[in-house]
Short mmCIF file of all heavy atoms in Angstrom, two decimals:
data_model
loop_
_atom_site.label_atom_id
_atom_site.label_comp_id
_atom_site.label_asym_id
_atom_site.label_seq_id
_atom_site.Cartn_x
_atom_site.Cartn_y
_atom_site.Cartn_z
N SER A 219 -63.99 34.10 28.36
CA SER A 219 -64.86 34.03 27.19
C SER A 219 -66.21 34.65 27.52
O SER A 219 -66.62 34.73 28.69
CB SER A 219 -65.06 32.56 26.77
OG SER A 219 -65.89 31.88 27.71
N TRP A 220 -66.90 35.09 26.46
CA TRP A 220 -68.25 35.66 26.62
C TRP A 220 -69.17 34.63 27.29
O TRP A 220 -69.95 34.96 28.17
CB TRP A 220 -68.77 36.04 25.24
CG TRP A 220 -70.11 36.71 25.21
CD1 TRP A 220 -71.34 36.09 25.22
CD2 TRP A 220 -70.38 38.12 25.17
NE1 TRP A 220 -72.35 37.03 25.17
CE2 TRP A 220 -71.79 38.28 25.13
CE3 TRP A 220 -69.57 39.25 25.13
CZ2 TRP A 220 -72.39 39.53 25.06
CZ3 TRP A 220 -70.17 40.50 25.06
CH2 TRP A 220 -71.56 40.63 25.03
N GLU A 221 -69.04 33.37 26.84
CA GLU A 221 -69.92 32.33 27.35
C GLU A 221 -69.73 32.09 28.84
O GLU A 221 -70.71 32.06 29.60
CB GLU A 221 -69.69 31.01 26.58
CG GLU A 221 -70.19 31.01 25.16
CD GLU A 221 -69.27 31.73 24.19
OE1 GLU A 221 -68.12 32.08 24.58
OE2 GLU A 221 -69.67 31.95 23.03
N SER A 222 -68.50 31.94 29.28
CA SER A 222 -68.26 31.66 30.70
C SER A 222 -68.69 32.85 31.57
O SER A 222 -69.25 32.68 32.65
CB SER A 222 -66.78 31.34 30.96
OG SER A 222 -65.95 32.43 30.59
N THR A 223 -68.46 34.06 31.08
CA THR A 223 -68.85 35.26 31.83
C THR A 223 -70.36 35.32 32.02
O THR A 223 -70.87 35.46 33.14
CB THR A 223 -68.37 36.54 31.12
OG1 THR A 223 -66.94 36.55 31.09
CG2 THR A 223 -68.86 37.78 31.85
N PHE A 224 -71.10 35.19 30.92
CA PHE A 224 -72.55 35.38 31.02
C PHE A 224 -73.28 34.17 31.60
O PHE A 224 -74.34 34.35 32.22
CB PHE A 224 -73.12 35.78 29.66
CG PHE A 224 -73.03 37.26 29.41
CD1 PHE A 224 -71.93 37.80 28.74
CD2 PHE A 224 -74.00 38.12 29.88
CE1 PHE A 224 -71.82 39.16 28.53
CE2 PHE A 224 -73.90 39.50 29.68
CZ PHE A 224 -72.81 40.02 29.01
N VAL A 225 -72.74 32.99 31.45
CA VAL A 225 -73.36 31.85 32.12
C VAL A 225 -73.23 32.01 33.63
O VAL A 225 -74.18 31.75 34.39
CB VAL A 225 -72.74 30.52 31.65
CG1 VAL A 225 -73.16 29.36 32.57
CG2 VAL A 225 -73.18 30.20 30.23
N ASP A 226 -72.08 32.49 34.10
CA ASP A 226 -71.90 32.75 35.53
C ASP A 226 -72.87 33.85 36.01
O ASP A 226 -73.45 33.75 37.09
CB ASP A 226 -70.46 33.17 35.82
CG ASP A 226 -69.51 31.99 35.83
OD1 ASP A 226 -69.99 30.85 35.77
OD2 ASP A 226 -68.28 32.23 35.89
N ILE A 227 -73.01 34.90 35.21
CA ILE A 227 -73.92 36.00 35.57
C ILE A 227 -75.36 35.50 35.65
O ILE A 227 -76.09 35.79 36.60
CB ILE A 227 -73.79 37.15 34.56
CG1 ILE A 227 -72.44 37.87 34.74
CG2 ILE A 227 -74.94 38.15 34.72
CD1 ILE A 227 -72.13 38.90 33.66
N LEU A 228 -75.77 34.73 34.65
CA LEU A 228 -77.14 34.21 34.62
C LEU A 228 -77.39 33.25 35.78
O LEU A 228 -78.47 33.25 36.37
CB LEU A 228 -77.39 33.51 33.29
CG LEU A 228 -77.56 34.44 32.08
CD1 LEU A 228 -77.47 33.66 30.78
CD2 LEU A 228 -78.90 35.18 32.16
N GLU A 229 -76.39 32.45 36.11
CA GLU A 229 -76.55 31.51 37.22
C GLU A 229 -76.72 32.25 38.55
O GLU A 229 -77.56 31.89 39.38
CB GLU A 229 -75.36 30.56 37.29
CG GLU A 229 -75.52 29.47 38.35
CD GLU A 229 -74.46 28.40 38.24
OE1 GLU A 229 -73.41 28.65 37.60
OE2 GLU A 229 -74.68 27.31 38.79
N GLN A 230 -75.92 33.28 38.74
CA GLN A 230 -76.02 34.07 39.97
C GLN A 230 -77.39 34.74 40.06
O GLN A 230 -78.02 34.75 41.13
CB GLN A 230 -74.92 35.13 40.00
CG GLN A 230 -74.92 36.01 41.24
CD GLN A 230 -74.45 35.28 42.48
OE1 GLN A 230 -73.70 34.32 42.39
NE2 GLN A 230 -74.90 35.70 43.65
N LEU A 231 -77.86 35.28 38.95
CA LEU A 231 -79.15 35.96 38.94
C LEU A 231 -80.30 34.98 39.17
O LEU A 231 -81.20 35.26 39.97
CB LEU A 231 -79.34 36.68 37.61
CG LEU A 231 -80.71 37.33 37.35
CD1 LEU A 231 -81.04 38.36 38.42
CD2 LEU A 231 -80.74 37.98 35.96
N TYR A 232 -80.26 33.86 38.50
CA TYR A 232 -81.38 32.93 38.56
C TYR A 232 -81.44 32.14 39.86
O TYR A 232 -82.50 31.99 40.47
CB TYR A 232 -81.34 31.97 37.37
CG TYR A 232 -82.52 31.02 37.34
CD1 TYR A 232 -83.78 31.46 36.95
CD2 TYR A 232 -82.38 29.69 37.74
CE1 TYR A 232 -84.87 30.61 36.94
CE2 TYR A 232 -83.46 28.83 37.73
CZ TYR A 232 -84.71 29.29 37.33
OH TYR A 232 -85.79 28.44 37.34
#
Side-chain angles (χ1 to χ4, degrees):
S219 72
W220 183 276
E221 289 79 10
S222 61
T223 296
F224 275 93
V225 167
D226 283 351
I227 289 172
L228 286 166
E229 185 170 18
Q230 180 72 26
L231 173 59
Y232 182 75

